[in-house]
Amino acid sequence: MPGLKIDADKCIGCGKCVRICPVNNLAVENKKVRETGKDCIRCGHCVSSCPKGALQFADEDDAFKKGWFDGRLVSDSDLNEILSSMGMGTDPDIWIKVLQGAELDEYIESSMDILKKSSSGIPLVKEWEEWNERHDFLEPNPVLWEGKQVLFIFSDSPEHAFSASNKMVVKGFGMGVRGFHSNILMAAYHEDPGRLESFFPGFKGKMYMAFVIGHGRRLIEPLFKPLEKFKGLFR
Ligand code: SF4
Ligand code: SF4
């Protein structure tokens, strides 16, 4: 399979693409990125996230661009298509909401406040606080990476929630909508569901998923170690 075309003159070795690659196919050496192997799944995240435009597929064509997250909001009509494929409105056991904009900012602030008061000691909370204090919104919110919308699934049934989550991935992937499951937002919900449920008037059941629409994200072990105690919540 053709690999990436790397423009070494443009690459500044920032490592953003390395952190974003879901299969560890990239590494920075001597301040330049290189591919480590042949594991590329052609998700396009590195290409779309490189601030210098140093990456492209060796056989780049427009078909691949469709799936690349470039910071845009998913339109209401695309979201509605995804939500209906997940059973929203037809499966009585599924209730879904997407938060974005000021409402999402407020939700994240409440979630971080909950985790700050808990004993979880999650490093990302500190990272978020520092980012929030700097008030530099040119830097992406570390909780969302570069995502701007979060899709939440509520249900009374873990099976229905799981099925809706799978349908979202299948439908969304085909439409170019990708992202990552946010353990940190789930952790905040499990600490204090009552406080966060006020963001979801009319919700049914309990929250089973918080999915950040945007780049896929590789789990970084040290970041998630403090979440050991939350293991099992999603079984
Ligand atoms: S994101 Fe772009 S500039 Fe940064 S290391 Fe990767 S290729 Fe180089
Ligand atoms: S296209 Fe995706 S899998 Fe391939 S190197 Fe880039 S981020 Fe990694």
Side-chain angles (χ1 to χ4, degrees):
M1 190 181 279
L4 293 168
K5 196 153 80 184
I6 299 169
D7 187 333
D9 290 337
K10 288 184 182 167
C11 177
I12 54 169
C14 67
K16 188 175 177 191
C17 57
V18 176
R19 293 192 294 278
I20 225 162
C21 176
V23 293
N24 286 330
N25 185 46
L26 299 169
V28 169
E29 263 172 32
N30 300 322
K31 299 184 182 162
K32 297 291 170 192
V33 78
R34 66 170 180 83
E35 285 191 84
T36 58
K38 295 186 169 64
D39 293 330
C40 177
I41 55 169
R42 296 174 72 77
C43 65
H45 292 320
C46 60
V47 178
S48 64
S49 64
C50 173
K52 296 292 173 186
L55 300 173
Q56 64 180 98
F57 286 118
D59 63 340
E60 184 169 354
D61 69 37
D62 285 345
F64 283 110
K65 286 183 180 156
K66 187 173 182 289
W68 297 354
F69 175 70
D70 60 5
R72 278 173 304 170
L73 293 175
V74 179
S75 69
D76 287 349
S77 63
D78 280 357
L79 275 179
N80 286 338
E81 207 177 314
I82 293 169
L83 299 197
S84 63
S85 79
M86 294 166 72
M88 180 73 171
T90 50
D91 181 345
D93 283 321
I94 290 296
W95 194 91
I96 309 164
K97 184 168 170 81
V98 177
L99 293 184
Q100 63 188 53
E103 205 180 6
L104 179 58
D105 291 343
E106 206 187 317
Y107 185 87
I108 291 174
E109 194 160 347
S110 298
S111 297
M112 294 304 106
D113 191 48
I114 289 168
L115 291 172
K116 210 167 58 183
K117 289 174 183 154
S118 77
S119 55
S120 52
I122 299 170
L124 190 52
V125 177
K126 182 97 187 102
E127 205 185 312
W128 178 86
E129 279 187 300
E130 286 167 2
W131 169 84
N132 199 35
E133 268 164 34
R134 282 198 299 279
H135 205 78
D136 179 358
F137 289 102
L138 289 177
E139 255 183 73
N141 182 330
V143 174
L144 299 177
W145 220 346
E146 293 183 8
K148 292 187 171 64
Q149 290 159 298
V150 182
L151 188 153
F152 297 88
I153 297 180
F154 287 79
S155 181
D156 278 322
S157 151
E159 291 78 25
H160 282 239
F162 184 66
S163 163
S165 162
N166 283 344
K167 286 173 185 162
M168 176 201 71
V169 171
V170 172
K171 180 72 181 172
F173 203 84
M175 296 168 68
V177 176
R178 320 256 163 99
F180 63 93
H181 294 273
S182 174
N183 286 354
I184 198 165
L185 292 182
M186 288 304 296
Y189 174 77
H190 283 284
E191 280 288 328
D192 190 350
R195 179 166 169 190
L196 295 174
E197 280 166 0
S198 61
F199 286 84
F200 305 102
F203 78 100
K204 285 192 285 187
K206 69 171 192 172
M207 188 190 293
Y208 274 96
M209 190 188 80
F211 185 84
V212 179
I213 297 172
H215 293 296
R217 184 165 194 175
R218 175 161 40 100
L219 296 187
I220 302 162
E221 192 54 28
L223 185 71
F224 282 84
K225 274 215 164 106
L227 289 172
E228 282 289 305
K229 73 181 216 176
F230 295 108
K231 262 189 181 171
L233 288 175
F234 312 106
R235 287 185 197 135

